[in-house]
Amino acid sequence: MSQKTSRLLMMWIPLAGFVILVGYLMGTDHRFHLFQALPLLFLAACPLMHFFMHRHHGGHGDKANKE
């Protein structure tokens, strides 16, 4: 394993564990707060999905379509 790969693993494995732990605690102890945030998370997901899904198709100024 290269040094770069081991550094990435040293960073992402604890981060993934932290996210899993926080998700579990939010789901069990703070369920009411999680349900309160769901409409906001849904509204925030819409523009984010639009931004990330339209990233790779060339955009509105694609020169290949202009003939």
Side-chain angles (χ1 to χ4, degrees):
M1 191 178 327
S2 71
Q3 186 177 2
K4 184 178 180 180
T5 305
S6 65
R7 283 188 183 180
L8 284 175
L9 285 176
M10 287 176 56
M11 182 179 72
W12 286 107
I13 289 175
L15 182 64
F18 178 74
V19 168
I20 290 170
L21 178 68
V22 168
Y24 173 75
L25 291 175
M26 284 294 291
T28 57
D29 294 338
H30 300 280
R31 188 171 293 147
F32 181 70
H33 302 298
L34 187 63
F35 288 145
Q36 283 180 331
L38 281 178
L40 180 63
L41 292 174
F42 180 73
L43 289 174
C46 293
L48 287 173
M49 286 191 323
H50 182 79
F51 176 74
F52 287 114
M53 292 181 80
H54 284 291
R55 174 191 277 180
H56 299 291
H57 71 77
H60 297 286
D62 191 12
K63 294 180 182 178
N65 291 336
K66 295 180 183 177
E67 292 182 20

